[in-house]
Amino acid sequence: MTSMKFPTNFLWGAASAAYQIEGAWNEDGKGESIWDRFSHTPDHISDKTTGDVACDHYHRYPEDIAIMRKIGLKAYRFSVAWSRIQPTGRGPVNLPGLDYYDRLTDALLAANIEPFITLHHWDYPQALFDQGGWVNRDNLAYFADYSAIIVKRLGDRIRRWTTFNEPGVIAWNGYANAEHAPGERDEKKARQVIHNLMVAHGLAVQAIRGVDPGLEVGIVLSEWGADPASDDPADIAAANRFWNITETAFLHPLFTGHYHPEMIEAAGADLPEIKSGDMALISQKLDFVGINSYSRHVISATKGRLEKIPGSEYTEMGWEVCAPAFRRMLVKINRDYHLPPIYITENGSAFVDVVTPDGKIHDERRLDYLRQHFLQIRLAMQDGVDIRGYFVWSLTDNFEWAHGFTKRFGLVRVDYDTQQRTIKDSGEWYSSVIATNSVEE
Ligand code: FCB
């Protein structure tokens, strides 16, 4: 058996997000977030659960860091709950909230694990939403203020900073299709949110660099490749168009300074209001870009986006497993844009896990998913894509947004009745990948 070696400094990590793991939803002065409100409202979460306790990571982070250490992680990507820091999203700092992330950071560093921080992973302060949320341009500067507060406290120990996680999901799932908090259904508003998030990102980049110009700043985007259903030129054209009007929504403004012309055309009368100076603010140089990718879109000229590809494997999310598409997408974005170094900030899979009588979780399918994707990343690097690190989604099973606890993505199983953690086979295997810095073909 041969193996593919990764570069010595490749940053192997795992990722999480505050609302999905922390719990302690109203402790130590934390304010309400839109996800608290959304999950507390009946019928929003498929299994009628909430993130009130989740993995109780807020109290159990030392145990979780010990697990990270056991796996051998070099980095850990986590997000900050804005309403722990500023309960209403603006104004005075709630010190116990800031102290918590300070302790977490120090504990990670003591374990020799690099903290890789996301400033906003969807849990927006409810009080700011009540004042118009991301639609209201007056609110955008609060994100920059909040970012500066955290950088001032943690910037001496954390080197890499990301502003938003998947702004497209904030806009579409939160403001257009109501699948996520805050549960709005208004496509025009969603398009304004896309633009406003970009402006808020630009303001935050300035604020972070204003505190410390030496820090590395980036953003995390969701990018799924768009493959044509066949070699038919009509399918190829349809796939290209799909890519241009969906997957370029952020790449294009961030890395060219304007929106893709096909996206503008598709927006029609719903085009957002763009103020003079916005595009320069949005397209400030970044130090890295984070890419989250789980699957691909398959597009037919006549049928649109295909739900099921015969012969393909699907995860519990209904997402097709297609690792070669991951490489194709990476090669494409690298060719189409002048990108800074890339970190794969999320990739992983949800499958039904079974605890066998020996107490173990033999999650071969998750392990195989990861193995296939690691190999495709290595191939993309050989194709010239500058990928510096990779974060499995997720370290532990957790609260999967509107799916509640029904989808398990973790390298580590969480028994939600006892909060017991068990490293799955995929986690043991990942440990050997990190230790040898190579993946068997
Ligand atoms: C991504 C999210 C992450 C998790 C995975 C499965 O879109 O960033 O929080 O829900 O999907």
Side-chain angles (χ1 to χ4, degrees):
M1 203 181 285
T2 55
S3 64
M4 286 183 100
K5 202 79 191 139
F6 279 70
T8 315
N9 292 329
F10 196 77
L11 199 63
W12 294 105
S16 70
Y19 187 71
Q20 295 180 271
I21 60 167
E22 284 180 356
W25 78 280
N26 59 359
E27 276 182 50
D28 293 341
K30 178 180 166 295
E32 188 186 18
S33 82
I34 57 171
W35 271 95
D36 295 319
R37 178 71 62 93
F38 191 75
S39 70
H40 292 159
T41 309
D43 300 331
H44 282 156
I45 311 298
S46 70
D47 61 358
K48 304 192 191 312
T49 57
T50 70
D52 289 4
V53 176
C55 306
D56 196 29
H57 176 78
Y58 188 79
H59 301 111
R60 291 169 196 263
Y61 72 88
E63 181 186 349
D64 289 339
I65 293 175
I67 293 169
M68 293 179 211
R69 195 173 187 167
K70 200 162 174 205
I71 295 176
L73 295 189
K74 297 190 169 171
Y76 174 58
R77 174 175 177 243
F78 66 94
S79 78
V80 176
W82 186 343
S83 65
R84 283 195 198 286
I85 309 299
Q86 291 171 296
T88 59
R90 52 191 275 202
V93 174
N94 174 49
L95 275 175
L98 207 45
D99 290 344
Y100 163 68
Y101 294 104
D102 198 285
R103 290 195 300 275
L104 176 66
T105 300
D106 281 346
L108 286 165
L109 292 172
N112 218 2
I113 298 167
E114 178 180 334
F116 195 103
I117 193 167
T118 305
L119 288 162
H120 188 62
H121 197 130
W122 306 354
D123 46 355
Y124 189 68
Q126 179 66 37
L128 282 187
F129 176 70
D130 294 339
Q131 292 162 38
W134 290 116
V135 184
N136 181 356
R137 200 158 165 130
D138 295 340
N139 285 338
L140 306 186
Y142 297 129
F143 180 62
D145 296 345
Y146 150 74
S147 301
I149 291 169
I150 308 196
V151 177
K152 278 183 194 147
R153 182 72 180 262
L154 302 179
D156 58 337
R157 284 157 288 157
I158 300 185
R159 180 166 156 213
R160 298 194 177 91
W161 293 76
T162 48
T163 54
F164 288 104
N165 178 74
E166 300 190 356
V169 175
I170 298 177
W172 287 113
N173 296 39
Y175 287 81
N177 66 31
E179 278 174 26
H180 283 182
E184 301 274 287
R185 278 182 206 279
D186 184 334
E187 197 171 318
K188 188 172 170 62
K189 268 193 196 169
R191 289 193 185 274
Q192 190 63 54
V193 168
I194 287 179
H195 181 69
N196 287 357
L197 287 168
M198 286 290 85
V199 173
H201 158 81
L203 294 171
V205 171
Q206 286 183 335
I208 296 166
R209 290 192 174 137
V211 178
D212 183 347
L215 300 175
E216 291 189 24
V217 192
I219 187 169
V220 167
L221 306 177
S222 166
E223 298 297 336
W224 290 21
D227 286 339
S230 76
D231 292 341
D232 185 327
D235 285 342
I236 294 172
N240 283 337
R241 181 169 164 78
F242 182 92
W243 170 269
N244 290 341
I245 65 178
T246 61
E247 305 299 300
T248 71
F250 301 95
L251 280 173
H252 223 74
L254 286 165
F255 299 108
T256 71
H258 53 87
Y259 288 104
H260 197 288
E262 283 187 58
M263 185 182 150
I264 293 190
E265 180 215 305
D270 290 345
L271 202 65
E273 191 195 346
I274 301 174
K275 293 204 171 156
S276 130
D278 281 359
M279 299 315 290
L281 183 66
I282 291 170
S283 57
Q284 285 167 90
K285 196 172 165 302
L286 294 179
D287 300 295
F288 65 89
V289 61
I291 300 291
N292 293 355
S293 193
Y294 290 87
S295 183
R296 64 167 179 167
H297 307 287
V298 179
I299 310 297
S300 140
T302 49
K303 299 186 199 124
R305 185 174 186 276
L306 304 182
E307 288 297 326
K308 280 265 181 273
I309 308 304
S312 277
E313 181 186 9
Y314 285 82
T315 70
E316 278 296 295
M317 295 294 281
W319 296 345
E320 186 194 1
V321 179
C322 184
F326 191 29
R327 173 190 182 183
R328 287 196 290 276
M329 177 275 292
L330 290 165
V331 169
K332 177 175 171 55
I333 62 174
N334 185 56
R335 189 189 61 213
D336 290 356
Y337 300 100
H338 289 293
L339 297 179
I342 295 175
Y343 289 88
I344 306 302
T345 33
E346 284 181 30
N347 170 248
S349 53
F351 288 111
V352 172
D353 289 327
V354 178
V355 183
T356 46
D358 57 0
K360 298 201 180 255
I361 300 99
H362 303 299
D363 58 338
E364 294 93 2
R365 294 176 73 189
R366 183 176 296 103
L367 190 159
D368 194 51
Y369 176 101
L370 293 173
R371 195 179 57 80
Q372 290 182 45
H373 284 76
F374 292 175
L375 292 174
Q376 294 295 328
I377 290 171
R378 192 69 191 92
L379 292 171
M381 291 165 79
Q382 288 174 0
D383 294 336
V385 188
D386 184 4
I387 304 169
R388 303 283 177 93
Y390 169 95
F391 294 81
V392 176
W393 184 270
S394 181
L395 176 70
T396 57
D397 294 336
N398 58 46
F399 181 83
E400 179 49 35
W401 309 111
H403 299 287
F405 294 104
T406 63
K407 312 288 177 200
R408 292 179 178 270
F409 276 91
L411 294 168
V412 176
R413 177 179 176 86
V414 176
D415 176 327
Y416 297 111
D417 295 328
T418 62
Q419 290 294 348
Q420 193 192 331
R421 275 81 160 135
T422 310
I423 301 180
K424 303 177 192 177
D425 283 4
S426 59
E428 304 281 1
W429 174 81
Y430 189 40
S431 187
S432 70
V433 168
I434 300 172
T436 59
N437 205 25
S438 64
V439 181
E440 284 172 356
E441 285 178 68

PDB file of all heavy atoms in Angstrom, residues 16-17 20 77 121-122 165-166 169 180 220 222 224 292 294 317 319 346 348 393 398-401 409, ligand 1:
ATOM      1  N   SER A  16     -15.684  23.454  15.157  1.00  0.00           N
ATOM      2  CA  SER A  16     -16.948  23.471  15.907  1.00  0.00           C
ATOM      3  C   SER A  16     -17.536  24.873  15.781  1.00  0.00           C
ATOM      4  O   SER A  16     -16.929  25.747  15.163  1.00  0.00           O
ATOM      5  CB  SER A  16     -16.680  23.180  17.385  1.00  0.00           C
ATOM      6  OG  SER A  16     -16.009  24.290  17.966  1.00  0.00           O
ATOM      7  N   ALA A  17     -18.709  25.065  16.350  1.00  0.00           N
ATOM      8  CA  ALA A  17     -19.309  26.405  16.402  1.00  0.00           C
ATOM      9  C   ALA A  17     -19.990  26.561  17.751  1.00  0.00           C
ATOM     10  O   ALA A  17     -20.560  25.594  18.282  1.00  0.00           O
ATOM     11  CB  ALA A  17     -20.332  26.579  15.287  1.00  0.00           C
ATOM     12  N   GLN A  20     -23.544  25.264  18.558  1.00  0.00           N
ATOM     13  CA  GLN A  20     -23.725  23.830  18.357  1.00  0.00           C
ATOM     14  C   GLN A  20     -23.167  22.987  19.505  1.00  0.00           C
ATOM     15  O   GLN A  20     -23.528  21.820  19.645  1.00  0.00           O
ATOM     16  CB  GLN A  20     -23.090  23.415  17.023  1.00  0.00           C
ATOM     17  CG  GLN A  20     -23.804  24.054  15.842  1.00  0.00           C
ATOM     18  CD  GLN A  20     -23.209  23.660  14.504  1.00  0.00           C
ATOM     19  OE1 GLN A  20     -22.297  24.316  14.033  1.00  0.00           O
ATOM     20  NE2 GLN A  20     -23.700  22.605  13.891  1.00  0.00           N
ATOM     21  N   ARG A  77     -10.661  24.868  15.418  1.00  0.00           N
ATOM     22  CA  ARG A  77     -11.451  26.009  14.949  1.00  0.00           C
ATOM     23  C   ARG A  77     -12.727  26.101  15.783  1.00  0.00           C
ATOM     24  O   ARG A  77     -13.488  25.138  15.844  1.00  0.00           O
ATOM     25  CB  ARG A  77     -11.793  25.824  13.461  1.00  0.00           C
ATOM     26  CG  ARG A  77     -12.718  26.872  12.925  1.00  0.00           C
ATOM     27  CD  ARG A  77     -12.963  26.740  11.412  1.00  0.00           C
ATOM     28  NE  ARG A  77     -13.913  27.758  11.045  1.00  0.00           N
ATOM     29  CZ  ARG A  77     -15.131  27.533  10.557  1.00  0.00           C
ATOM     30  NH1 ARG A  77     -15.544  26.310  10.298  1.00  0.00           N
ATOM     31  NH2 ARG A  77     -15.947  28.530  10.299  1.00  0.00           N
ATOM     32  N   HIS A 121     -20.466  32.726  13.817  1.00  0.00           N
ATOM     33  CA  HIS A 121     -20.977  31.498  13.206  1.00  0.00           C
ATOM     34  C   HIS A 121     -22.477  31.410  13.543  1.00  0.00           C
ATOM     35  O   HIS A 121     -22.905  30.537  14.297  1.00  0.00           O
ATOM     36  CB  HIS A 121     -20.194  30.294  13.739  1.00  0.00           C
ATOM     37  CG  HIS A 121     -20.321  29.032  12.925  1.00  0.00           C
ATOM     38  ND1 HIS A 121     -19.229  28.310  12.513  1.00  0.00           N
ATOM     39  CD2 HIS A 121     -21.394  28.353  12.463  1.00  0.00           C
ATOM     40  CE1 HIS A 121     -19.630  27.229  11.834  1.00  0.00           C
ATOM     41  NE2 HIS A 121     -20.949  27.236  11.792  1.00  0.00           N
ATOM     42  N   TRP A 122     -23.226  32.415  13.076  1.00  0.00           N
ATOM     43  CA  TRP A 122     -24.685  32.403  12.977  1.00  0.00           C
ATOM     44  C   TRP A 122     -25.503  32.806  14.212  1.00  0.00           C
ATOM     45  O   TRP A 122     -26.678  33.110  14.081  1.00  0.00           O
ATOM     46  CB  TRP A 122     -25.192  31.043  12.471  1.00  0.00           C
ATOM     47  CG  TRP A 122     -24.560  30.594  11.188  1.00  0.00           C
ATOM     48  CD1 TRP A 122     -23.689  31.288  10.388  1.00  0.00           C
ATOM     49  CD2 TRP A 122     -24.743  29.325  10.543  1.00  0.00           C
ATOM     50  NE1 TRP A 122     -23.348  30.532   9.291  1.00  0.00           N
ATOM     51  CE2 TRP A 122     -23.964  29.326   9.369  1.00  0.00           C
ATOM     52  CE3 TRP A 122     -25.503  28.193  10.857  1.00  0.00           C
ATOM     53  CZ2 TRP A 122     -23.921  28.227   8.494  1.00  0.00           C
ATOM     54  CZ3 TRP A 122     -25.450  27.107  10.000  1.00  0.00           C
ATOM     55  CH2 TRP A 122     -24.667  27.129   8.826  1.00  0.00           C
ATOM     56  N   ASN A 165     -18.628  32.851   9.221  1.00  0.00           N
ATOM     57  CA  ASN A 165     -18.767  31.509   8.680  1.00  0.00           C
ATOM     58  C   ASN A 165     -19.929  31.492   7.709  1.00  0.00           C
ATOM     59  O   ASN A 165     -21.063  31.826   8.081  1.00  0.00           O
ATOM     60  CB  ASN A 165     -19.055  30.499   9.799  1.00  0.00           C
ATOM     61  CG  ASN A 165     -19.257  29.101   9.223  1.00  0.00           C
ATOM     62  OD1 ASN A 165     -18.301  28.456   8.805  1.00  0.00           O
ATOM     63  ND2 ASN A 165     -20.511  28.640   9.149  1.00  0.00           N
ATOM     64  N   GLU A 166     -19.671  31.107   6.469  1.00  0.00           N
ATOM     65  CA  GLU A 166     -20.702  30.901   5.459  1.00  0.00           C
ATOM     66  C   GLU A 166     -21.770  32.002   5.443  1.00  0.00           C
ATOM     67  O   GLU A 166     -22.927  31.765   5.789  1.00  0.00           O
ATOM     68  CB  GLU A 166     -21.384  29.543   5.664  1.00  0.00           C
ATOM     69  CG  GLU A 166     -20.422  28.382   5.565  1.00  0.00           C
ATOM     70  CD  GLU A 166     -21.116  27.017   5.537  1.00  0.00           C
ATOM     71  OE1 GLU A 166     -22.338  26.961   5.676  1.00  0.00           O
ATOM     72  OE2 GLU A 166     -20.414  26.010   5.369  1.00  0.00           O
ATOM     73  N   VAL A 169     -25.181  31.189   3.900  1.00  0.00           N
ATOM     74  CA  VAL A 169     -26.192  30.450   4.661  1.00  0.00           C
ATOM     75  C   VAL A 169     -26.935  31.408   5.602  1.00  0.00           C
ATOM     76  O   VAL A 169     -28.145  31.289   5.803  1.00  0.00           O
ATOM     77  CB  VAL A 169     -25.545  29.264   5.410  1.00  0.00           C
ATOM     78  CG1 VAL A 169     -26.556  28.559   6.296  1.00  0.00           C
ATOM     79  CG2 VAL A 169     -24.937  28.288   4.399  1.00  0.00           C
ATOM     80  N   HIS A 180     -33.419  28.487   8.874  1.00  0.00           N
ATOM     81  CA  HIS A 180     -32.586  28.830  10.032  1.00  0.00           C
ATOM     82  C   HIS A 180     -33.094  30.110  10.684  1.00  0.00           C
ATOM     83  O   HIS A 180     -33.853  30.872  10.080  1.00  0.00           O
ATOM     84  CB  HIS A 180     -31.153  29.098   9.578  1.00  0.00           C
ATOM     85  CG  HIS A 180     -30.360  27.850   9.264  1.00  0.00           C
ATOM     86  ND1 HIS A 180     -29.048  27.900   8.881  1.00  0.00           N
ATOM     87  CD2 HIS A 180     -30.694  26.532   9.316  1.00  0.00           C
ATOM     88  CE1 HIS A 180     -28.594  26.660   8.693  1.00  0.00           C
ATOM     89  NE2 HIS A 180     -29.574  25.816   8.933  1.00  0.00           N
ATOM     90  N   VAL A 220     -14.730  32.589   5.940  1.00  0.00           N
ATOM     91  CA  VAL A 220     -15.023  31.189   5.597  1.00  0.00           C
ATOM     92  C   VAL A 220     -16.238  31.138   4.670  1.00  0.00           C
ATOM     93  O   VAL A 220     -17.315  31.637   5.013  1.00  0.00           O
ATOM     94  CB  VAL A 220     -15.292  30.371   6.877  1.00  0.00           C
ATOM     95  CG1 VAL A 220     -15.898  29.021   6.532  1.00  0.00           C
ATOM     96  CG2 VAL A 220     -13.993  30.177   7.661  1.00  0.00           C
ATOM     97  N   SER A 222     -18.753  28.782   1.970  1.00  0.00           N
ATOM     98  CA  SER A 222     -19.203  27.449   1.557  1.00  0.00           C
ATOM     99  C   SER A 222     -19.120  27.380   0.036  1.00  0.00           C
ATOM    100  O   SER A 222     -19.695  28.219  -0.659  1.00  0.00           O
ATOM    101  CB  SER A 222     -20.654  27.244   2.011  1.00  0.00           C
ATOM    102  OG  SER A 222     -21.196  26.121   1.360  1.00  0.00           O
ATOM    103  N   TRP A 224     -19.535  24.518  -3.021  1.00  0.00           N
ATOM    104  CA  TRP A 224     -19.755  23.172  -3.548  1.00  0.00           C
ATOM    105  C   TRP A 224     -19.599  23.275  -5.067  1.00  0.00           C
ATOM    106  O   TRP A 224     -20.183  24.164  -5.693  1.00  0.00           O
ATOM    107  CB  TRP A 224     -21.172  22.678  -3.239  1.00  0.00           C
ATOM    108  CG  TRP A 224     -21.441  22.384  -1.789  1.00  0.00           C
ATOM    109  CD1 TRP A 224     -20.767  22.848  -0.699  1.00  0.00           C
ATOM    110  CD2 TRP A 224     -22.494  21.543  -1.280  1.00  0.00           C
ATOM    111  NE1 TRP A 224     -21.340  22.358   0.456  1.00  0.00           N
ATOM    112  CE2 TRP A 224     -22.393  21.564   0.119  1.00  0.00           C
ATOM    113  CE3 TRP A 224     -23.515  20.799  -1.888  1.00  0.00           C
ATOM    114  CZ2 TRP A 224     -23.278  20.834   0.933  1.00  0.00           C
ATOM    115  CZ3 TRP A 224     -24.391  20.089  -1.073  1.00  0.00           C
ATOM    116  CH2 TRP A 224     -24.264  20.108   0.321  1.00  0.00           C
ATOM    117  N   ASN A 292     -15.393  25.775   3.151  1.00  0.00           N
ATOM    118  CA  ASN A 292     -16.176  24.656   3.679  1.00  0.00           C
ATOM    119  C   ASN A 292     -16.802  23.939   2.493  1.00  0.00           C
ATOM    120  O   ASN A 292     -17.412  24.584   1.634  1.00  0.00           O
ATOM    121  CB  ASN A 292     -17.335  25.147   4.556  1.00  0.00           C
ATOM    122  CG  ASN A 292     -16.881  25.804   5.851  1.00  0.00           C
ATOM    123  OD1 ASN A 292     -15.688  25.815   6.162  1.00  0.00           O
ATOM    124  ND2 ASN A 292     -17.837  26.330   6.600  1.00  0.00           N
ATOM    125  N   TYR A 294     -18.803  20.067   1.391  1.00  0.00           N
ATOM    126  CA  TYR A 294     -19.283  18.752   1.817  1.00  0.00           C
ATOM    127  C   TYR A 294     -19.677  17.872   0.647  1.00  0.00           C
ATOM    128  O   TYR A 294     -19.684  16.660   0.758  1.00  0.00           O
ATOM    129  CB  TYR A 294     -20.501  18.921   2.730  1.00  0.00           C
ATOM    130  CG  TYR A 294     -20.147  19.500   4.079  1.00  0.00           C
ATOM    131  CD1 TYR A 294     -20.095  20.874   4.286  1.00  0.00           C
ATOM    132  CD2 TYR A 294     -19.844  18.658   5.138  1.00  0.00           C
ATOM    133  CE1 TYR A 294     -19.749  21.401   5.529  1.00  0.00           C
ATOM    134  CE2 TYR A 294     -19.498  19.169   6.377  1.00  0.00           C
ATOM    135  CZ  TYR A 294     -19.461  20.538   6.575  1.00  0.00           C
ATOM    136  OH  TYR A 294     -19.104  21.040   7.798  1.00  0.00           O
ATOM    137  N   MET A 317     -27.350  13.610   5.675  1.00  0.00           N
ATOM    138  CA  MET A 317     -27.850  14.942   5.322  1.00  0.00           C
ATOM    139  C   MET A 317     -28.493  14.924   3.942  1.00  0.00           C
ATOM    140  O   MET A 317     -29.026  15.942   3.493  1.00  0.00           O
ATOM    141  CB  MET A 317     -26.710  15.976   5.319  1.00  0.00           C
ATOM    142  CG  MET A 317     -26.064  16.234   6.656  1.00  0.00           C
ATOM    143  SD  MET A 317     -27.168  17.019   7.851  1.00  0.00           S
ATOM    144  CE  MET A 317     -27.134  18.725   7.324  1.00  0.00           C
ATOM    145  N   TRP A 319     -26.600  14.441   1.358  1.00  0.00           N
ATOM    146  CA  TRP A 319     -25.549  15.041   0.535  1.00  0.00           C
ATOM    147  C   TRP A 319     -24.754  13.932  -0.138  1.00  0.00           C
ATOM    148  O   TRP A 319     -24.289  12.990   0.528  1.00  0.00           O
ATOM    149  CB  TRP A 319     -24.614  15.905   1.390  1.00  0.00           C
ATOM    150  CG  TRP A 319     -25.302  17.102   2.014  1.00  0.00           C
ATOM    151  CD1 TRP A 319     -26.520  17.627   1.678  1.00  0.00           C
ATOM    152  CD2 TRP A 319     -24.807  17.910   3.091  1.00  0.00           C
ATOM    153  NE1 TRP A 319     -26.807  18.722   2.479  1.00  0.00           N
ATOM    154  CE2 TRP A 319     -25.772  18.914   3.351  1.00  0.00           C
ATOM    155  CE3 TRP A 319     -23.643  17.900   3.857  1.00  0.00           C
ATOM    156  CZ2 TRP A 319     -25.614  19.886   4.342  1.00  0.00           C
ATOM    157  CZ3 TRP A 319     -23.474  18.864   4.851  1.00  0.00           C
ATOM    158  CH2 TRP A 319     -24.450  19.852   5.081  1.00  0.00           C
ATOM    159  N   GLU A 346     -13.974  23.351   6.871  1.00  0.00           N
ATOM    160  CA  GLU A 346     -14.965  22.320   7.224  1.00  0.00           C
ATOM    161  C   GLU A 346     -15.077  21.324   6.086  1.00  0.00           C
ATOM    162  O   GLU A 346     -15.128  21.707   4.902  1.00  0.00           O
ATOM    163  CB  GLU A 346     -16.371  22.907   7.430  1.00  0.00           C
ATOM    164  CG  GLU A 346     -16.579  23.635   8.721  1.00  0.00           C
ATOM    165  CD  GLU A 346     -18.011  24.167   8.863  1.00  0.00           C
ATOM    166  OE1 GLU A 346     -18.952  23.560   8.312  1.00  0.00           O
ATOM    167  OE2 GLU A 346     -18.159  25.199   9.532  1.00  0.00           O
ATOM    168  N   GLY A 348     -16.714  16.961   6.132  1.00  0.00           N
ATOM    169  CA  GLY A 348     -17.020  15.821   6.984  1.00  0.00           C
ATOM    170  C   GLY A 348     -18.358  15.227   6.582  1.00  0.00           C
ATOM    171  O   GLY A 348     -18.936  15.606   5.560  1.00  0.00           O
ATOM    172  N   TRP A 393     -15.109  18.633  10.075  1.00  0.00           N
ATOM    173  CA  TRP A 393     -16.360  18.947  10.766  1.00  0.00           C
ATOM    174  C   TRP A 393     -16.936  17.619  11.191  1.00  0.00           C
ATOM    175  O   TRP A 393     -17.282  16.840  10.321  1.00  0.00           O
ATOM    176  CB  TRP A 393     -17.376  19.688   9.873  1.00  0.00           C
ATOM    177  CG  TRP A 393     -18.559  20.028  10.725  1.00  0.00           C
ATOM    178  CD1 TRP A 393     -19.677  19.271  10.944  1.00  0.00           C
ATOM    179  CD2 TRP A 393     -18.696  21.192  11.551  1.00  0.00           C
ATOM    180  NE1 TRP A 393     -20.493  19.868  11.863  1.00  0.00           N
ATOM    181  CE2 TRP A 393     -19.911  21.051  12.255  1.00  0.00           C
ATOM    182  CE3 TRP A 393     -17.894  22.323  11.797  1.00  0.00           C
ATOM    183  CZ2 TRP A 393     -20.360  22.010  13.171  1.00  0.00           C
ATOM    184  CZ3 TRP A 393     -18.357  23.270  12.704  1.00  0.00           C
ATOM    185  CH2 TRP A 393     -19.575  23.111  13.364  1.00  0.00           C
ATOM    186  N   ASN A 398     -22.854  17.096  17.540  1.00  0.00           N
ATOM    187  CA  ASN A 398     -23.371  18.326  18.135  1.00  0.00           C
ATOM    188  C   ASN A 398     -24.754  18.676  17.588  1.00  0.00           C
ATOM    189  O   ASN A 398     -25.350  17.904  16.836  1.00  0.00           O
ATOM    190  CB  ASN A 398     -22.366  19.476  17.945  1.00  0.00           C
ATOM    191  CG  ASN A 398     -22.039  19.728  16.488  1.00  0.00           C
ATOM    192  OD1 ASN A 398     -22.937  19.778  15.652  1.00  0.00           O
ATOM    193  ND2 ASN A 398     -20.754  19.892  16.179  1.00  0.00           N
ATOM    194  N   PHE A 399     -25.229  19.855  17.992  1.00  0.00           N
ATOM    195  CA  PHE A 399     -26.561  20.336  17.604  1.00  0.00           C
ATOM    196  C   PHE A 399     -26.501  20.828  16.160  1.00  0.00           C
ATOM    197  O   PHE A 399     -25.909  21.872  15.878  1.00  0.00           O
ATOM    198  CB  PHE A 399     -26.971  21.474  18.545  1.00  0.00           C
ATOM    199  CG  PHE A 399     -28.336  22.041  18.271  1.00  0.00           C
ATOM    200  CD1 PHE A 399     -29.482  21.436  18.774  1.00  0.00           C
ATOM    201  CD2 PHE A 399     -28.478  23.196  17.500  1.00  0.00           C
ATOM    202  CE1 PHE A 399     -30.744  21.965  18.521  1.00  0.00           C
ATOM    203  CE2 PHE A 399     -29.742  23.733  17.242  1.00  0.00           C
ATOM    204  CZ  PHE A 399     -30.872  23.111  17.755  1.00  0.00           C
ATOM    205  N   GLU A 400     -27.095  20.041  15.256  1.00  0.00           N
ATOM    206  CA  GLU A 400     -26.992  20.366  13.833  1.00  0.00           C
ATOM    207  C   GLU A 400     -28.163  21.269  13.408  1.00  0.00           C
ATOM    208  O   GLU A 400     -29.029  20.889  12.636  1.00  0.00           O
ATOM    209  CB  GLU A 400     -26.901  19.075  13.005  1.00  0.00           C
ATOM    210  CG  GLU A 400     -26.808  19.244  11.494  1.00  0.00           C
ATOM    211  CD  GLU A 400     -25.770  20.254  10.995  1.00  0.00           C
ATOM    212  OE1 GLU A 400     -24.702  20.388  11.596  1.00  0.00           O
ATOM    213  OE2 GLU A 400     -26.085  20.936  10.004  1.00  0.00           O
ATOM    214  N   TRP A 401     -28.188  22.481  13.971  1.00  0.00           N
ATOM    215  CA  TRP A 401     -29.143  23.515  13.576  1.00  0.00           C
ATOM    216  C   TRP A 401     -30.568  22.972  13.518  1.00  0.00           C
ATOM    217  O   TRP A 401     -31.010  22.356  14.485  1.00  0.00           O
ATOM    218  CB  TRP A 401     -28.681  24.167  12.262  1.00  0.00           C
ATOM    219  CG  TRP A 401     -27.238  24.620  12.336  1.00  0.00           C
ATOM    220  CD1 TRP A 401     -26.170  24.084  11.661  1.00  0.00           C
ATOM    221  CD2 TRP A 401     -26.662  25.656  13.173  1.00  0.00           C
ATOM    222  NE1 TRP A 401     -25.000  24.732  12.002  1.00  0.00           N
ATOM    223  CE2 TRP A 401     -25.267  25.691  12.917  1.00  0.00           C
ATOM    224  CE3 TRP A 401     -27.184  26.566  14.099  1.00  0.00           C
ATOM    225  CZ2 TRP A 401     -24.397  26.594  13.561  1.00  0.00           C
ATOM    226  CZ3 TRP A 401     -26.332  27.464  14.730  1.00  0.00           C
ATOM    227  CH2 TRP A 401     -24.975  27.464  14.452  1.00  0.00           C
ATOM    228  N   PHE A 409     -21.959  14.217  13.123  1.00  0.00           N
ATOM    229  CA  PHE A 409     -20.789  14.490  12.276  1.00  0.00           C
ATOM    230  C   PHE A 409     -19.471  14.229  13.002  1.00  0.00           C
ATOM    231  O   PHE A 409     -18.402  14.387  12.416  1.00  0.00           O
ATOM    232  CB  PHE A 409     -20.771  15.972  11.868  1.00  0.00           C
ATOM    233  CG  PHE A 409     -21.611  16.335  10.670  1.00  0.00           C
ATOM    234  CD1 PHE A 409     -22.935  16.732  10.808  1.00  0.00           C
ATOM    235  CD2 PHE A 409     -21.057  16.318   9.391  1.00  0.00           C
ATOM    236  CE1 PHE A 409     -23.694  17.102   9.701  1.00  0.00           C
ATOM    237  CE2 PHE A 409     -21.810  16.689   8.282  1.00  0.00           C
ATOM    238  CZ  PHE A 409     -23.128  17.080   8.442  1.00  0.00           C
TER     239      PHE A 409
HETATM  240  C1  FCB B   1     -21.960  23.926   7.673  1.00  0.00           C
HETATM  241  C2  FCB B   1     -21.956  24.731   8.959  1.00  0.00           C
HETATM  242  C3  FCB B   1     -21.647  23.917  10.195  1.00  0.00           C
HETATM  243  C4  FCB B   1     -22.339  22.569  10.157  1.00  0.00           C
HETATM  244  C5  FCB B   1     -22.056  21.865   8.844  1.00  0.00           C
HETATM  245  C6  FCB B   1     -22.660  20.490   8.754  1.00  0.00           C
HETATM  246  O1  FCB B   1     -22.708  24.574   6.715  1.00  0.00           O
HETATM  247  O2  FCB B   1     -21.008  25.764   8.865  1.00  0.00           O
HETATM  248  O3  FCB B   1     -22.020  24.661  11.319  1.00  0.00           O
HETATM  249  O4  FCB B   1     -23.674  22.725  10.383  1.00  0.00           O
HETATM  250  O5  FCB B   1     -22.529  22.643   7.788  1.00  0.00           O
END
